[in-house]
Amino acid sequence: MSGKPRLTYLNGRGRMEPVRWLLAAAGVEFEEIFLETRQQYEKLIKDGVLMFQQVPMVEIDGMKMVQTRAILSYIAGKYNLYGKDLKERALIDMYVEGITDLMQMILMLPFSPPEAKEKSIDSIKERATNRYFPVFEKVLKQHGQDFLVGNKFSWADVQLIEAILAVEEKIPAVLSGFPQLQAFKIRMSNMPTIKKFLQPGSPRKPPPDECYVETVLKIFKK
């Protein structure tokens, strides 16, 4: 093994995309193994490498890590993106959990029946503009700093820029009432590691399409 983290998941965003974002933002190169068949998935289970019989799985520092939250917090801690003390870590955790709640709605959207998609997008817009984005707009305005916690780049910033871009794909004008977040988006997108990740040909995955949905259902639905 090269020493690079190795990610095992499907060739799509799903629950692995925040991991790709965080590693890329930290400037860490990684390798990927893409599951394409149910047989590959069942072999991982049979071999005992998936603790809860679930992916994502990330091989890092001699561990085979599962559970997205555990993977992300380990990477954030390892690469100094998790605050300077317990209070900053608690803030980062709260922000990340909120963003994850919003991203869960985005995650499930491709699996909605066609007749329900418009309603689902309306729900995402309502939650983003009334519940989640106002929190971060207020934080950035109140402390007048470039980053969410401790005036230092952290996991929370990475999760937020990922969420902003994901919501904008469905609702292009979603930031129209949030000038602080508009400025935040520009700052984050111009950070060298993130700018590189946003370029064509990077490990960042495109929005899920019908082929991705079919692959998910083929591998994970009995």
Side-chain angles (χ1 to χ4, degrees), residues 90-100 135-136 139 143 148-149 156 159:
L91 268 179
I92 290 168
D93 284 341
M94 285 193 290
Y95 293 156
V96 164
E97 288 294 317
I99 298 164
T100 301
V135 170
F136 302 109
V139 168
H143 65 33
L148 289 172
V149 178
Q159 291 271 115

Side-chain angles (χ1 to χ4, degrees), residues 13 15 49 53 65 93 140 142 144 147 153 158 167 172-173 177 186 214:
R13 289 185 182 176
R15 298 188 186 280
V49 297
Q53 303 184 14
M65 294 196 70
D93 284 341
L140 291 167
Q142 283 184 338
F147 306 109
F153 185 51
V158 181
V167 175
I186 293 168
E214 287 173 8

Side-chain angles (χ1 to χ4, degrees), residues 72-169:
L72 287 165
S73 58
Y74 183 82
I75 292 168
K78 179 177 173 69
Y79 295 107
N80 199 25
L81 295 170
Y82 210 174
K84 70 177 186 298
D85 55 30
L86 278 174
K87 286 187 176 180
E88 286 194 357
R89 184 167 290 200
L91 268 179
I92 290 168
D93 284 341
M94 285 193 290
Y95 293 156
V96 164
E97 288 294 317
I99 298 164
T100 301
D101 289 345
L102 176 60
M103 288 300 290
Q104 180 67 17
M105 299 175 74
I106 298 276
L107 198 67
M108 297 312 296
L109 185 61
F111 301 93
S112 301
E115 65 274 11
K117 275 195 166 57
E118 190 172 332
K119 187 176 180 182
S120 297
I121 290 172
D122 287 342
S123 295
I124 291 167
K125 181 179 180 181
E126 192 277 327
R127 289 285 182 89
T129 56
N130 293 322
R131 182 181 296 187
Y132 296 107
F133 287 174
V135 170
F136 302 109
E137 181 76 7
K138 182 178 179 182
V139 168
L140 291 167
K141 186 174 183 179
Q142 283 184 338
H143 65 33
Q145 296 170 347
D146 288 349
F147 306 109
L148 289 172
V149 178
N151 203 25
K152 186 182 177 189
F153 185 51
S154 77
W155 173 20
D157 299 304
V158 181
Q159 291 271 115
L160 182 55
I161 184 61
E162 179 192 0
I164 286 171
L165 296 179
V167 175
E168 279 189 329
E169 286 173 352

